[in-house]
């Protein structure tokens, strides 16, 4: 795992956008795995700037989002479909038919999860996967105790995740309790992964994911087993990493 150490959220976002942009220069028809939440918002803003400056072209890009809540209509402002449309897709020249987000409203959720996995495989697999990390160490909605061998599946959201995400809803009762998520195995099949973390509230999980035992109770720890992970962490998120000098720091100061 390579660690890129940056000062703050803004630098983290710029670095991530740079890596995505370089990926598209090398392979304009890349398949991107995308994340939601507060963490990647700055990266999306930087990518939109690059697109508007004609430095980047999304016309051949395919995307697969990590996850989506169950039972939220895609026009609901808290759905990840809405988030992606408003924060990224409507600002760039991506073809609508190349956008894939799990359908949390599907009548047959199991069928939906199989089809999502099949679509990823048929697209040639994910070239570059963007990940945030939850305060409980989740990646996507792969909550503690997830099976590492899981493919895309329906999950029951962890109490901590529901508490964390309540900030986006009027009340905690409104937060959906189920979601569809790419599984750990789906994520680990990506050719390259960028893990983004910003802020002091992520410091303990960043530390445990990078140094800790690889175990399902800390889902992001599985990334230690992937050959091509770049972790971009700001000063606060990496504050516990300073304790161990054997980590390889790249960039930043
Ligand atoms: P956040 O969420 O980016 O809103 O902190 C990260 C996550 O839950 O994966």
């Amino acid at each position: 795992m390579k660690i890129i150490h940056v000062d703050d959220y803004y630098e983290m976002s710029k670095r991530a956008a740079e890596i995505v942009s370089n990926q598209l220069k090398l392979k304009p028809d890349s398949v991107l795995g995308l994340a939601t939440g507060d963490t990647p918002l700055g990266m999306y803003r930087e990518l939109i700037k690059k697109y508007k400056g004609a430095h980047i072209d999304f016309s051949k890009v395919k995307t697969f989002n990590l996850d989506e809540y169950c039972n939220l209509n895609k026009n609901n402002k808290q759905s990840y479909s809405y988030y992606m449309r408003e924060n990224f897709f409507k600002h760039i020249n991506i073809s609508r038919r190349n956008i894939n987000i799990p359908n949390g409203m599907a009548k047959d959720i199991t069928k939906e999860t199989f089809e999502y996995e099949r679509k990823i495989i048929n697209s040639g697999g994910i070239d570059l996967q963007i990940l945030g990390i939850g305060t409980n160490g989740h990646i996507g909605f792969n909550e503690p105790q997830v099976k590492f061998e899981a493919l895309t599946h329906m999950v029951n959201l962890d109490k901590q995740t529901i508490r964390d995400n309540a900030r986006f809803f009027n009340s905690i009762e409104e937060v959906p309790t189920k979601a569809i998520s790419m599984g750990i195995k789906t994520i680990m099949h990506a050719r390259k992964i960028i893990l983004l973390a910003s802020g002091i509230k992520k410091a303990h999980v960043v530390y445990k994911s990078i140094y800790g035992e690889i175990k399902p109770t800390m889902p992001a720890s599985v990334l230690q087993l992937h050959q091509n992970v770049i972790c971009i962490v700001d000063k606060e998120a990496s504050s516990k990493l300073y304790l161990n000098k054997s980590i390889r720091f790249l960039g930043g100061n």
Side-chain angles (χ1 to χ4, degrees):
M1 186 182 289
K2 289 178 185 168
I3 313 285
I4 297 183
H5 179 70
V6 294
D7 277 347
D8 54 23
Y9 180 82
Y10 177 65
E11 280 300 317
M12 177 197 77
S13 304
K14 280 188 67 159
R15 285 296 186 97
E18 207 54 48
I19 295 171
V20 175
S21 170
N22 289 341
Q23 169 71 33
L24 300 191
K25 277 179 197 149
L26 281 173
K27 189 179 178 211
D29 61 345
S30 288
V31 179
L32 302 180
L34 297 179
T36 50
D38 282 337
T39 307
L41 274 177
M43 180 195 75
Y44 293 136
R45 280 196 289 270
E46 292 301 315
L47 286 171
I48 292 165
K49 271 195 228 161
K50 283 178 186 293
Y51 166 68
K52 292 196 168 155
H55 302 303
I56 186 168
D57 173 23
F58 291 93
S59 60
K60 296 193 179 117
V61 170
K62 263 197 189 143
T63 64
F64 286 89
N65 264 77
L66 277 168
D67 45 20
E68 177 61 287
Y69 290 117
C70 287
N71 302 319
L72 278 194
N73 187 285
K74 64 181 179 189
N75 291 319
N76 184 307
K77 289 191 172 163
Q78 304 313 332
S79 75
Y80 290 158
S81 285
Y82 185 92
Y83 169 111
M84 290 307 300
R85 194 161 66 240
E86 292 304 308
N87 293 307
F88 193 37
F89 295 145
K90 78 175 190 187
H91 305 284
I92 59 171
N93 67 334
I94 191 164
S95 162
R96 298 295 160 238
R97 64 171 190 279
N98 286 344
I99 294 171
N100 298 278
I101 300 178
N103 177 10
M105 298 288 285
K107 284 213 176 76
D108 186 339
I109 293 284
T110 307
K111 188 166 165 229
E112 171 66 16
T113 60
F114 285 145
E115 280 179 4
Y116 201 69
E117 198 67 39
R118 186 183 48 78
K119 273 194 235 166
I120 295 174
I121 292 165
N122 289 349
S123 75
I126 292 171
D127 292 302
L128 176 60
Q129 175 68 56
I130 309 294
L131 295 177
I133 182 168
T135 59
N136 61 358
H138 76 193
I139 47 177
F141 272 139
N142 290 286
E143 305 288 30
Q145 306 294 0
V146 68
K147 289 189 169 61
F148 282 165
E149 66 272 27
L151 295 169
T152 301
H153 62 300
M154 192 182 79
V155 295
N156 291 312
L157 297 181
D158 189 49
K159 283 199 180 83
Q160 180 65 41
T161 299
I162 292 174
R163 275 197 296 273
D164 285 349
N165 290 359
R167 70 190 192 278
F168 300 115
F169 293 81
N170 292 324
S171 71
I172 197 163
E173 289 71 33
E174 281 185 22
V175 184
T177 55
K178 292 182 190 305
I180 296 177
S181 179
M182 280 185 199
I184 292 287
K185 192 168 180 179
T186 322
I187 293 170
M188 292 294 279
H189 278 153
R191 294 181 187 91
K192 184 172 192 165
I193 295 174
I194 305 178
L195 177 68
L196 301 175
S198 168
I200 197 71
K201 66 178 191 223
K202 300 292 172 68
H204 67 292
V205 281
V206 164
Y207 179 81
K208 284 187 180 164
S209 303
I210 293 174
Y211 286 135
E213 190 186 334
I214 300 168
K215 54 184 183 183
T217 47
M218 184 50 58
S221 64
V222 77
L223 297 174
Q224 293 176 40
L225 300 175
H226 194 282
Q227 297 299 310
N228 198 357
V229 178
I230 300 176
C231 185
I232 311 180
V233 280
D234 71 6
K235 270 192 175 150
E236 290 189 0
S238 66
S239 51
K240 287 190 187 252
L241 298 181
Y242 286 124
L243 304 173
N244 190 323
K245 302 278 187 247
S246 65
I247 286 267
R248 183 175 164 213
F249 287 107
L250 294 178
N253 47 11

